[in-house]
PDB file of all heavy atoms in Angstrom:
ATOM      1  N   TRP A 456      25.612  85.000  30.412  1.00  0.00           N
ATOM      2  CA  TRP A 456      25.356  86.290  31.008  1.00  0.00           C
ATOM      3  C   TRP A 456      26.657  87.031  31.375  1.00  0.00           C
ATOM      4  O   TRP A 456      26.708  88.234  31.666  1.00  0.00           O
ATOM      5  CB  TRP A 456      24.520  86.229  32.283  1.00  0.00           C
ATOM      6  CG  TRP A 456      24.959  85.122  33.188  1.00  0.00           C
ATOM      7  CD1 TRP A 456      24.620  83.803  33.227  1.00  0.00           C
ATOM      8  CD2 TRP A 456      25.736  85.283  34.326  1.00  0.00           C
ATOM      9  NE1 TRP A 456      25.208  83.100  34.196  1.00  0.00           N
ATOM     10  CE2 TRP A 456      25.835  84.075  34.991  1.00  0.00           C
ATOM     11  CE3 TRP A 456      26.377  86.372  34.954  1.00  0.00           C
ATOM     12  CZ2 TRP A 456      26.620  83.902  36.143  1.00  0.00           C
ATOM     13  CZ3 TRP A 456      27.027  86.242  36.199  1.00  0.00           C
ATOM     14  CH2 TRP A 456      27.223  84.986  36.713  1.00  0.00           C
ATOM     15  N   ASP A 459      30.324  89.361  27.702  1.00  0.00           N
ATOM     16  CA  ASP A 459      30.345  90.790  27.405  1.00  0.00           C
ATOM     17  C   ASP A 459      31.864  91.211  27.441  1.00  0.00           C
ATOM     18  O   ASP A 459      32.570  90.856  28.302  1.00  0.00           O
ATOM     19  CB  ASP A 459      29.605  91.484  28.529  1.00  0.00           C
ATOM     20  CG  ASP A 459      29.440  93.037  28.243  1.00  0.00           C
ATOM     21  OD1 ASP A 459      30.465  93.714  28.097  1.00  0.00           O
ATOM     22  OD2 ASP A 459      28.259  93.497  28.035  1.00  0.00           O
ATOM     23  N   THR A 506      25.865  90.915  46.069  1.00  0.00           N
ATOM     24  CA  THR A 506      25.702  92.293  46.352  1.00  0.00           C
ATOM     25  C   THR A 506      24.386  92.749  46.027  1.00  0.00           C
ATOM     26  O   THR A 506      23.755  92.218  45.016  1.00  0.00           O
ATOM     27  CB  THR A 506      26.847  93.151  45.567  1.00  0.00           C
ATOM     28  OG1 THR A 506      26.587  94.543  45.875  1.00  0.00           O
ATOM     29  CG2 THR A 506      26.650  92.933  44.042  1.00  0.00           C
ATOM     30  N   HIS A 888      86.653 108.816   3.195  1.00  0.00           N
ATOM     31  CA  HIS A 888      85.990 107.694   2.508  1.00  0.00           C
ATOM     32  C   HIS A 888      86.503 107.625   1.086  1.00  0.00           C
ATOM     33  O   HIS A 888      86.792 106.535   0.529  1.00  0.00           O
ATOM     34  CB  HIS A 888      84.465 107.696   2.633  1.00  0.00           C
ATOM     35  CG  HIS A 888      83.970 107.685   3.986  1.00  0.00           C
ATOM     36  ND1 HIS A 888      82.782 108.235   4.385  1.00  0.00           N
ATOM     37  CD2 HIS A 888      84.484 107.123   5.139  1.00  0.00           C
ATOM     38  CE1 HIS A 888      82.549 107.972   5.594  1.00  0.00           C
ATOM     39  NE2 HIS A 888      83.600 107.389   6.110  1.00  0.00           N
TER      40      HIS A 888
END
Side-chain angles (χ1 to χ4, degrees):
W456 50 277
D459 188 298
T506 179
H888 295 154

